[in-house]
Amino acid sequence: MMKHTIIRVGLVFTILNLLIYFGTSTITSTSDYESVQKSVETIKAEEEHNENLAKQVNMNKTVRAVKSTEDNTKETVEATENKTTGIIFIGDSRTVGMDKACNISDNENEFVVARVGKGYNYLVDEALPEVESIRQQNESINDWVYVINLGVNDLGNADKYKEKYEEIASEKQVRVYIESVNPVKDYPTVSNEQIEKINNTFKHINNTSYIDVYNYLLENGFETADGLHYKTTTSRIIYEKIKESIK
């Protein structure tokens, strides 16, 4: 904007000098010259005023942008401070064993819904109604996490699990974590090859997070009591891995 002012003032002075040089009758006295000079000063003052206004407008925009960012940050902090998280572990005998090893049910806002030898039908008919009952009894919790570890007892129901997990994950205020079906050691009716197939399905379920305990145990070692069920030390390792994965 100052560049435009300099150009305009320069043009006025150029015209003024030309008129004086050629003796034109347009400017015949010192007072006429002073009048033109005052016009130049007026133009310059107006340009400076407009430039100051533009700076003020930009400053106001910056202030509003900063305030908006501060407000959004404040809302995010308040939402985080008001969030109370509850974790429900849903599973079969392996989850029952993990509860016994880690006393999960004794922890504040942590719950276990699990039965020995169960699978998909248990999830639909018994586990989910029990989960709903827990939620109704704990209305202060507004951020629910489900950690589901089923499938080792019915490896052929991978597609049914997938459909049900996607349905559960579509609910608001629920974050669904699918724990891998974990490895066995020389167990007669279940192989790790079968387990890997169902895990490949569990890895790709919409709106859920997959916790890969399977490969973690294979890489770091694990102990079982009978080839299928884990000893206390391994159950504790699994629990710690799950808690680390929940964000």
Side-chain angles (χ1 to χ4, degrees):
M1 185 173 291
M2 287 299 298
K3 181 180 179 182
H4 295 159
T5 300
I6 293 170
I7 292 173
R8 291 176 64 180
V9 172
L11 287 174
V12 171
F13 273 113
T14 300
I15 293 171
L16 176 61
N17 290 330
L18 287 173
L19 290 175
I20 294 173
Y21 178 78
F22 288 109
T24 177
S25 59
T26 304
I27 300 177
T28 59
S29 67
T30 301
S31 62
D32 289 334
Y33 183 89
E34 291 175 348
S35 177
V36 173
Q37 191 174 27
K38 289 180 179 179
S39 297
V40 171
E41 292 174 351
T42 300
I43 292 172
K44 183 177 179 181
E46 290 178 351
E47 292 288 355
E48 290 178 349
H49 176 68
N50 291 336
E51 184 176 2
N52 289 334
L53 285 177
K55 288 180 178 179
Q56 185 62 44
V57 170
N58 290 333
M59 184 178 296
N60 290 340
K61 288 181 179 179
T62 301
V63 170
R64 286 196 297 270
V66 171
K67 187 176 185 301
S68 176
T69 301
E70 290 176 346
D71 290 343
N72 291 335
T73 301
K74 182 179 179 181
E75 290 177 0
T76 301
V77 170
E78 289 177 349
T80 301
E81 289 177 347
N82 294 328
K83 183 173 70 173
T84 301
T85 301
I87 306 175
I88 304 179
F89 295 85
I90 305 170
D92 48 38
S93 56
R94 287 172 159 185
T95 301
V96 171
M98 186 172 67
D99 184 25
K100 290 181 179 179
C102 304
N103 299 314
I104 299 172
S105 300
D106 294 337
N107 296 337
E108 184 178 8
N109 294 338
E110 292 190 12
F111 312 88
V112 176
V113 178
R115 299 289 185 278
V116 175
K118 300 298 183 178
Y120 177 80
N121 291 335
Y122 163 73
L123 171 68
V124 175
D125 298 335
E126 299 180 51
L128 291 179
E130 186 175 344
V131 166
E132 183 59 30
S133 177
I134 291 172
R135 291 185 58 175
Q136 290 177 0
Q137 295 172 35
N138 295 272
E139 294 181 352
S140 63
I141 297 176
N142 53 19
D143 174 49
W144 286 100
V145 173
Y146 297 172
V147 178
I148 310 177
N149 181 223
L150 289 165
V152 73
N153 295 311
D154 54 348
L155 294 166
N157 281 332
D159 291 338
K160 287 185 177 181
Y161 278 118
K162 181 176 183 295
E163 183 178 355
K164 179 56 65 174
Y165 290 161
E166 288 179 345
E167 179 185 325
I168 297 170
S170 66
E171 183 182 350
K172 293 181 180 179
Q173 295 183 333
V174 172
R175 291 182 284 142
V176 178
Y177 286 79
I178 308 302
E179 180 189 346
S180 58
V181 177
N182 296 322
V184 296
K185 279 187 178 179
D186 302 320
Y187 197 71
T189 59
V190 179
S191 69
N192 285 336
E193 289 76 13
Q194 291 174 304
I195 290 174
E196 288 175 3
K197 288 181 180 179
I198 195 170
N199 282 340
N200 285 333
T201 298
F202 288 172
K203 290 177 184 177
H204 307 290
I205 299 180
N206 295 330
N207 302 316
T208 68
S209 299
Y210 179 73
I211 305 177
D212 189 3
V213 180
Y214 177 87
N215 283 302
Y216 181 81
L217 293 179
L218 289 181
E219 292 170 3
N220 294 281
F222 61 97
E223 295 181 321
T224 70
D226 56 6
L228 178 68
H229 301 99
Y230 301 113
K231 290 186 176 181
T232 298
T233 302
T234 298
S235 290
R236 288 174 178 169
I237 290 172
I238 293 171
Y239 175 72
E240 291 173 2
K241 178 66 175 176
I242 292 170
K243 292 297 290 289
E244 290 173 1
S245 300
I246 296 174
K247 299 177 181 179

